């Protein structure tokens, strides 16, 4: 009688069942493989890598191991290379297994015996002996990881060239600690009372910052008076301000900026190409009791029926500005990716410009630390669109610690708001169409 295949995570039918604790480590290995060899985003690979793992805490552990490994990859590899006669290939399973064992023991607080025993089943034969030997050598030598992770060489070189050594050092400090939890409020008048109730701080009206927290258990979640949104990500919609006209939120999902615009009085139409992400946007609108017209469409093919008063384009980008939350971007993004994203941004900007009324506002934003997706993109747009000009952002419109560029745009960088917990990297330009 043929038996059905086992549902153990990623296990072929002829392989024995994994001992306790091993499925989470096997899933972590799959996640690292998806990011480092296949170039997939960590979050996009999570469901497939954890298929067959029923416990939520095991899935969370797999994610935590993979994410922390990606945060500290150069330093983990340096330790491994210091204990081997010849460097292991970057894609060798033994190197992946050692990364997982070491990050648990040196960064996540897992007892060394548990860290190695749950990793050895991932490798066979000679590599298993190698993994065990290298791990033991490093543990006996009391090796440790540096306080602040080392950035990958290519990211460090790009950012040092663009922003200088001080910002690179700030990025290393920023990635070492979990980022705070930022909330945007639908009603800024409730800021002080809710901040006190949550024991949080506010950097702007309508903003609350918490050290951490379980989102669904925070006061006011069910009532829908706020949503999670990094303070830098909240600036593009803030710079449009209040209004009663028509607004387009392009690439809108999961909806933070849509909700900002709706709560500020705008009649919002939100467009995104992803049906699954739009489902989250609709859920967010329902929870917050805010209204917007939601459309699933390709912006390179879709057009509105008529020009609008305000357009917000938070364009697809390399996402290097959110490296604190998503360290996989440091290992997936390269000059080719940046160039391709820049090409898409230029196309979207040219289309979005047509949809702005005379005298209307166009906001261009990217969560990127790359000049090609920010300053250089803006200069090219202004050269091609003489009827648009920068509408300079004032200091009063921004949280203390973020200063607009002398030409009027906003660039948030590692180290800004450092004492308050930092912020994501963003580029934001507010443009006005001539009358």
């Amino acid at each position: 009688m043929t038996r059905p295949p086992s549902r153990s995570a990623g296990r072929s039918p002829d392989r024995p069942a994994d001992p306790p604790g091993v499925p989470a480590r096997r899933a972590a290995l799959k996640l690292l493989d998806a990011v480092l060899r296949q170039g997939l985003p960590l979050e996009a690979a999570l469901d497939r890598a954890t298929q067959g793992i029923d416990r939520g805490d095991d899935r969370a552990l797999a994610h935590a191991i993979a994410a922390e490994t990606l945060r500290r990859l150069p330093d983990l590899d340096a330790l491994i290379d210091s204990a081997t006669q010849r460097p292991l290939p970057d894609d060798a399973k033994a190197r992946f297994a050692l990364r997982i064992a070491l990050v648990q023991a040196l960064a996540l607080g897992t007892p060394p015996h548990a860290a190695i025993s749950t990793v050895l089943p991932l490798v066979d034969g000679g590599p298993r002996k190698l993994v065990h030997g290298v791990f033991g050598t490093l543990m006996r030598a009391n090796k440790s990881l540096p306080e602040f992770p080392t950035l990958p060489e290519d990211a460090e070189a790009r950012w040092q060239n663009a922003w200088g050594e001080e910002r690179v050092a700030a990025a290393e400090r920023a990635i070492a600690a979990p980022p705070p939890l930022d909330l945007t409020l639908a009603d800024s008048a409730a800021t002080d009372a809710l901040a006190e109730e949550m024991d949080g701080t506010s950097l702007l009206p309508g903003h609350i910052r918490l050290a951490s927290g379980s989102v669904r258990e925070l006061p006011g979640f069910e009532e829908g008076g706020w949503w999670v949104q990094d303070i830098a990500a909240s600036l593009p919609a803030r710079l449009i301000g209040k209004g009663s006209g028509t607004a387009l939120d392009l690439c809108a999902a999961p909806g933070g900026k849509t909700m900002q615009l709706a709560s500020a009085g705008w009649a919002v139409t939100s467009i995104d190409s992803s049906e699954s992400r739009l489902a989250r946007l609709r859920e967010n609108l329902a929870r917050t009791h805010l209204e917007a017209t939601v459309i699933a469409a390709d912006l390179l093919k879709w057009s509105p029926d008529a020009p609008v008063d305000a357009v917000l384009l938070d364009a697809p980008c390399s996402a290097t500005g959110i490296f604190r939350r998503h360290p996989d971007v440091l290992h997936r993004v390269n000059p080719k990716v940046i160039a391709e994203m820049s090409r898409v941004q230029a196309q979207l900007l040219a289309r979005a410009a047509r949809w702005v009324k005379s005298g209307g506002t166009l906001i261009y934003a990217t969560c990127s630390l790359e000049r090609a997706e920010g300053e250089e993109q803006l200069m090219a747009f202004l050269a091609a669109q003489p009827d648009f000009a920068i509408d300079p952002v004032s200091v009063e419109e921004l949280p203390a610690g973020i200063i607009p560029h002398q030409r009027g745009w906003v660039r948030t960088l590692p180290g800004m708001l450092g004492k308050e917990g930092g912020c994501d990297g963003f580029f934001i330009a507010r443009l006005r169409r001539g009358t």
Side-chain angles (χ1 to χ4, degrees):
M1 176 175 165
T2 303
R3 301 181 68 179
S6 168
R7 294 181 66 246
S8 295
R11 178 165 61 85
S12 60
D14 57 345
R15 195 178 75 220
D18 283 328
V22 174
R25 279 72 176 183
R26 192 178 298 281
L29 187 148
K30 290 180 180 180
L31 285 170
L32 292 173
D33 181 79
V35 172
L36 298 175
R37 285 206 316 111
Q38 302 174 46
L40 298 176
L42 181 63
E43 304 302 327
L46 186 60
D47 284 347
R48 183 172 182 179
T50 58
Q51 187 175 6
I53 297 180
D54 297 324
R55 289 173 56 102
D57 56 351
D58 282 343
R59 291 193 296 272
L61 177 59
H63 182 278
I65 292 171
E68 194 63 23
T69 300
L70 293 168
R71 289 181 195 279
R72 299 180 174 274
L73 194 66
D75 299 312
L76 291 167
D77 282 345
L79 282 179
I80 294 167
D81 292 342
S82 74
T84 56
Q85 292 183 346
R86 290 179 296 180
L88 296 171
D90 287 345
D91 61 352
K93 184 175 281 191
R95 182 180 288 278
F96 276 72
L98 278 165
R99 290 163 171 167
I100 291 171
L102 288 170
V103 83
Q104 291 179 83
L106 301 180
L108 297 178
T110 305
H113 71 274
I116 190 63
S117 66
T118 53
V119 161
L120 287 177
L122 306 182
V123 288
D124 301 308
R128 178 180 291 197
K129 295 179 181 178
L130 174 66
V131 168
H132 194 278
V134 170
F135 182 84
T137 296
L138 294 172
M139 290 299 102
R140 287 190 295 273
N142 292 318
K143 294 292 186 178
S144 61
L145 292 168
E147 180 181 5
F148 302 125
T150 302
L151 297 178
E153 287 185 5
D154 53 350
E156 180 178 357
R158 284 199 319 272
W159 295 353
Q160 183 164 318
N161 181 62
W163 313 117
E165 291 185 7
E166 183 179 343
R167 295 301 181 187
V168 170
E172 291 174 340
R173 292 193 298 270
I175 199 173
L181 181 67
D182 283 344
L183 309 180
T184 296
L185 279 58
D187 179 9
S188 60
T191 303
D192 291 343
L194 197 54
E196 183 177 357
E197 183 179 3
M198 292 183 172
D199 194 24
T201 59
S202 178
L203 304 182
L204 278 176
H207 165 268
I208 294 175
R209 171 161 287 186
L210 307 174
S212 62
S214 175
V215 172
R216 292 180 177 274
E217 296 176 5
L218 292 174
F221 175 81
E222 294 295 340
E223 293 79 6
W226 51 262
W227 51 91
V228 176
Q229 187 178 35
D230 185 84
I231 192 168
S234 75
L235 296 179
R238 283 179 177 272
L239 295 180
I240 291 179
K242 294 186 178 296
S244 57
T246 53
L248 296 178
D249 184 9
L250 310 180
C251 309
K257 298 173 182 65
T258 289
M259 291 183 286
Q260 283 181 277
L261 294 172
S263 63
W266 295 92
V268 189
T269 299
S270 303
I271 305 97
D272 200 283
S273 61
S274 170
E275 287 281 6
S276 61
R277 285 169 57 81
L278 283 176
R280 287 183 59 198
L281 188 153
R282 292 187 179 96
E283 290 172 1
N284 286 330
L285 287 172
R287 183 179 66 84
T288 56
H289 313 291
L290 295 169
E291 295 183 358
T293 300
V294 179
I295 298 174
D298 180 347
L299 289 172
L300 295 177
K301 299 176 181 178
W302 179 88
S303 293
D305 295 332
V308 298
D309 298 292
V311 174
L312 195 166
L313 173 61
D314 188 355
C317 68
S318 65
T320 51
I322 58 174
F323 70 96
R324 300 181 305 160
R325 305 172 194 279
H326 301 282
D328 54 298
V329 301
L330 295 175
H331 306 283
R332 294 188 294 104
V333 171
N334 54 47
K336 182 178 179 181
V337 171
I338 295 168
E340 174 59 22
M341 290 291 95
S342 299
R343 184 185 66 81
V344 172
Q345 291 152 14
Q347 291 178 303
L348 292 175
L349 256 177
R351 289 185 64 79
R354 305 176 199 166
W355 306 337
V356 181
K357 288 181 179 180
S358 294
T361 298
L362 170 62
I363 296 280
Y364 170 69
T366 56
C367 57
S368 168
L369 287 170
E370 315 304 326
R371 286 188 184 274
E373 299 179 282
E375 292 84 351
E376 294 173 13
Q377 190 70 253
L378 174 62
M379 292 299 101
F381 173 80
L382 291 173
Q385 302 281 348
D387 54 337
F388 279 86
I390 296 172
D391 181 6
V393 177
S394 67
V395 173
E396 292 74 22
E397 295 177 274
L398 301 172
I402 297 179
I403 307 297
H405 188 273
Q406 60 185 4
R407 296 192 61 179
W409 62 73
V410 177
R411 164 63 78 180
T412 61
L413 292 168
M416 291 184 176
L417 304 181
K419 293 182 179 179
E420 295 81 12
C423 63
D424 288 344
F426 255 83
F427 177 84
I428 310 159
R430 182 170 60 193
L431 306 164
R432 189 79 63 189
R433 188 168 197 173
T435 56

